[in-house]
Amino acid sequence: LPLITYPTGDDAKELVETFDRAIRQGARLVIGPLAKPAVHSIARSNAVTVPTLALTVPDTDVLLPDNMY
């Protein structure tokens, strides 16, 4: 699989939009995000439609969706 990186900031909306864009552009697997608040934002967004390997755990008690590890 080719590896494509997407820069993200701290803004939750921007992060979810970047996540969605990666999937629209054909991502079959997502590695990241790294920051706890970012994992929380992605987990709550309903955007996780491909296997996603988060590199940390959320900073609150949020249930990870299917496909998010």
Side-chain angles (χ1 to χ4, degrees):
L1 294 174
L3 179 64
I4 301 170
T5 59
Y6 293 86
T8 61
D10 293 331
D11 181 70
K13 182 179 177 189
E14 177 187 332
L15 176 70
V16 173
E17 288 172 355
T18 302
F19 189 89
D20 283 335
R21 185 178 66 211
I23 293 170
R24 284 193 316 271
Q25 291 178 344
R28 295 185 290 169
L29 169 72
V30 174
I31 301 172
L34 178 59
K36 290 178 182 268
V39 173
H40 179 87
S41 296
I42 295 296
R44 293 185 46 93
S45 71
N46 295 319
V48 181
T49 58
V50 299
T52 302
L53 179 61
L55 300 176
T56 190
V57 295
D59 57 357
T60 61
D61 290 335
V62 63
L63 190 61
L64 294 180
D66 291 342
N67 281 332
M68 190 169 199
Y69 309 98

